Amino acid sequence: MNAVEFKKGIYWVGAIDRTVRDFHGYQTPSGTTYNAYLLVDDKVVLFDTVAKGFSSELLARISDIIEPSKIDYIVTNHIEMDHTGALPEIVDAVNPEKIICSANGKKALLAHFHREDWPYEVVATGQTINTGTKNIRFIETKMIHWPDSMFSYIEEDALLISQDGFGLHWATEERFDDEVDQVKLMQEAAKYYANILLLYSALIQRALQNIKQMELKIDMIAPDHGVIWRSDPCKIVDAWDNWSRQVAIDKAVVVYDTMWQSTALMADAIVEGLNETGIEVRLMPLSQYHRSDVMTELLDCKAVVFGSATLNNGMMPKMADMLTYMKGLRPLGKIGAAFGSYGWGGEAPRLLDTFIADMKYESAGECLRVNYVPTPENLAACVELGRRVGAMVKA
Ligand code: FEO
């Protein structure tokens, strides 16, 4: 694929990574893209680079348009290695007049690459640079996704280059939102938000409000992952607004791991009770669902019901993994319940209750525990737990 011009004199020149399957714990079965953008004006500007190993792909696409050594400025909107892994090679190839970044960006670049000799130019929110016929305004967006992050806004094109903001992991050959399957598009966008940004929701909500107050006209949004939002940029901004406010629907997620199927039987009975209440229900055994897919479902659910058999005085390893991941991303404001079977100690459901309390979730009551294999009476109690959680969701 060649470079793609999407505004006059502005090109996608990034790289497509079809093979990456793990993004710091987030499973990416569809791969990803590392988007970089080239502005050709009196001054030539490259916005972000790509991951290490993709520099030749980036340089080849730049060379479709212009000799790379003609680039004057490299704007580094975000320092994480998926966008700067190739930076040292690109700096060597380009020898830029300026590397433009935020103050935190400069600190992070120094800590990553230890290059005091690079021509850093630090910018802050509201500062602009002129490239001849265009003005680029910078907007710091701390914690979208790291402290160094910023957006670049090209005023004449109403184009927001948003690094991780409004991104998604999908190694599609298509470059624009209107060219891809709309259901998968929003599923991948939600998965990306849930697994990368959810922890920073309060800051994201503030950033969205700040951008709203700036009254920027936005014709397109060009993130560093996934597609360019050209047909309806409001669609992804509105989705981020909902996700960052953690708006939830009448939905419960039952996530569990089982040893000899007793906890699985309990989960099925809880789902039966939940279904009776008419809410949406997702049953997610951790033997079949990756933690990042569970996180995606947790993004907009009102209730989460955790189940684990007891193993070696604790919970099942996949459940411990899930809770560690979930605690880090911190979905807020849920209803919580716990269950599980046990042989002697029975610690796992109690530990799940402790997790529910630590997350400050509204508890549906003390955990439901079953010794070894559930009886019909035990399963009836599980159905009742499902009904109770469903009623709380609908209240
Ligand atoms: Fe795509 Fe936070 O890096």
Side-chain angles (χ1 to χ4, degrees), residues 48 56 77-78 94-95 119 125 128 135 144 161 167 227 268 283 299 346:
D48 293 316
S56 55
N77 281 317
H78 180 26
V94 166
N95 190 24
T125 294
T128 60
N135 290 288
I144 313 177
I161 297 177
V227 292
D268 289 344
L283 177 64
L299 181 61

Side-chain angles (χ1 to χ4, degrees), residues 17 59-60 97 178 288-289 314 352 355 361 388:
D17 186 346
L59 287 169
E97 185 184 325
D178 49 290
Q288 294 170 42
Y289 289 90
L352 295 174
F355 180 80
Y361 290 171
R388 193 161 70 244

